[in-house]
Amino acid sequence: MSSSEKKAVFIGRSFVRVVNVSDKEQSSRAEKTVSYTKETFTDVLREILSEEGVFRYILSEELVYVTTLFFPLDIKLTRELVRIAAEESVPEDLQKTEWDFRAMQYVKHQEKEGKNVVQVAVIAHDFSKKLEGVFRAGVRVESILPESYVLAFLEGHDEDLKVIVRKDQEKMLFLAIKQEVVLHTVVRETTSDPEVDFEKFISFVERASSEKVQRGIISGWKNQGMQSKIEERGLIYSEKEYDLFSGIFLESISGRDQQVLNLSVSGGQKKFFWWQRFFSRNAR
């Protein structure tokens, strides 16, 4: 692998896509896409990730939970405080799976009310067990991020409340974001009715956030009915293609622990992830 090229890996429910990312061009190009089953997952990843180098990983929203917590600015955030709060909305025991959080300051535009918003990402326990065997085989990891988190980063830090509907070969992801914060996500099958799901999602988002959605963004597909539905609601309509693969390399993975979300790092100091613990015990 040349020094100017990096590898980004998207892991979906039934496929893995590996992409070369060019530093010079800030662009990516597909290299390999391989389907897998429960039985072949480990072998598939070992084979396609056998090349030397450092990889960054994006997990499909179907494999990870992303939740948002709000705390007053004067509360001291600790990992234990965040874990207890997160377990109220995430159906996982966070002490038995891998998770991390990022503390961000969030300001509601109308009320000008500052809060500590904490973005929490949790790898589903069943999937984390699958990954463990793969990474013990020696695959290197620089960072692991959820799909929705990378999308929010690419949208930038503006004050509009937006809903993105992103479609890939497996699913439709409905995502509400504001100021780089993932507020709500819903995943639906590609065979579902997107217009009905969009209406339900928008209504839920506006009730939960007590403010109106300003923008509707379609990504990965085109649908005249969806465009009409967005415009009927008085939203600003746009179509965008998000390059998640180059985007994950734009996201910083260095800095104070609480200001960086990385599912291969957690706690008040750098921790050993599954495979790092394994190699530490077996180091020569």
Side-chain angles (χ1 to χ4, degrees):
M1 182 172 64
S2 69
S3 59
S4 62
E5 234 175 34
K6 301 174 181 178
K7 300 282 187 180
V9 183
F10 183 93
I11 303 181
R13 180 180 62 198
S14 63
F15 74 95
V16 177
R17 180 167 295 132
V18 185
V19 167
N20 292 327
V21 177
S22 169
D23 281 341
K24 184 179 294 185
E25 299 174 2
Q26 288 298 323
S27 62
S28 63
R29 65 178 188 274
E31 179 186 81
K32 190 179 298 184
T33 301
V34 182
S35 299
Y36 70 84
T37 65
K38 180 179 179 180
E39 292 74 23
T40 64
F41 177 72
T42 299
D43 290 339
V44 164
L45 267 190
R46 282 176 177 170
E47 180 181 348
I48 67 175
L49 303 180
S50 59
E51 183 178 339
E52 287 295 321
V54 176
F55 295 77
R56 292 195 182 188
Y57 297 79
I58 305 165
L59 296 185
S60 169
E61 211 68 15
E62 295 176 287
L63 308 176
V64 62
Y65 300 97
V66 177
T67 190
T68 305
L69 308 173
F70 295 91
F71 297 92
L73 290 174
D74 58 353
I75 286 185
K76 182 180 180 181
L77 293 175
T78 65
R79 189 167 178 82
E80 182 66 8
L81 175 67
V82 173
R83 180 189 67 79
I84 293 171
E87 285 184 339
E88 295 181 5
S89 57
V90 174
E92 294 281 354
D93 181 346
L94 271 62
Q95 296 184 89
K96 294 182 179 180
T97 191
E98 300 300 329
W99 69 282
D100 196 25
F101 72 92
R102 177 188 176 191
M104 309 160 71
Q105 189 174 103
Y106 176 91
V107 179
K108 291 189 71 173
H109 177 61
Q110 294 177 335
E111 301 173 15
K112 298 296 182 185
E113 177 188 356
K115 289 183 181 295
N116 266 328
V117 57
V118 177
Q119 197 82 89
V120 182
V122 182
I123 301 179
H125 180 260
D126 289 347
F127 188 72
S128 73
K129 299 302 291 182
K130 288 183 182 180
L131 283 176
E132 183 174 358
V134 176
F135 291 118
R136 280 182 174 176
V139 175
R140 297 180 183 181
V141 178
E142 192 169 71
S143 72
I144 301 175
L145 292 175
E147 176 184 5
S148 60
Y149 183 82
V150 180
L151 283 167
F153 169 76
L154 290 172
E155 261 304 303
H157 195 84
D158 64 65
E159 294 180 336
D160 284 348
L161 177 57
K162 307 172 186 177
V163 166
I164 300 172
V165 185
R166 183 173 185 270
K167 185 177 182 180
D168 65 21
Q169 66 191 62
E170 290 184 324
K171 68 180 186 310
M172 296 186 65
L173 171 61
F174 294 80
L175 166 68
I177 62 172
K178 181 174 181 178
Q179 295 176 241
E180 286 188 40
V181 177
V182 178
L183 297 175
H184 306 283
T185 64
V186 168
V187 174
R188 293 287 182 263
E189 297 293 332
T190 56
T191 54
S192 68
D193 187 331
E195 296 175 40
V196 172
D197 290 332
F198 177 78
E199 279 288 344
K200 291 179 179 177
F201 185 67
I202 283 251
S203 297
F204 167 75
V205 168
E206 292 185 339
R207 287 197 307 270
S209 60
S210 300
E211 60 180 303
K212 293 291 185 181
V213 174
Q214 285 89 37
R215 295 178 179 270
I217 302 169
I218 301 299
S219 179
W221 62 309
K222 292 186 178 182
N223 183 288
Q224 187 61 46
M226 279 294 295
Q227 179 175 349
S228 299
K229 184 68 67 176
I230 290 171
E231 292 174 342
E232 284 171 9
R233 272 187 163 266
L235 310 184
I236 299 172
Y237 171 83
S238 59
E239 298 173 3
K240 291 187 179 181
E241 294 303 321
Y242 297 95
D243 188 347
L244 300 182
F245 301 100
S246 61
I248 195 174
F249 281 99
L250 297 174
E251 173 71 1
S252 174
I253 59 171
S254 62
R256 291 179 56 196
D257 180 70
Q258 290 193 359
Q259 273 69 56
V260 177
L261 190 147
N262 185 347
L263 284 162
S264 64
V265 186
S266 65
Q269 56 186 334
K270 193 175 188 301
K271 76 166 185 176
F272 288 104
F273 207 25
W274 319 294
W275 54 91
Q276 294 167 322
R277 288 197 294 265
F278 177 81
F279 289 120
S280 176
R281 288 196 300 269
N282 294 278
R284 296 180 180 178

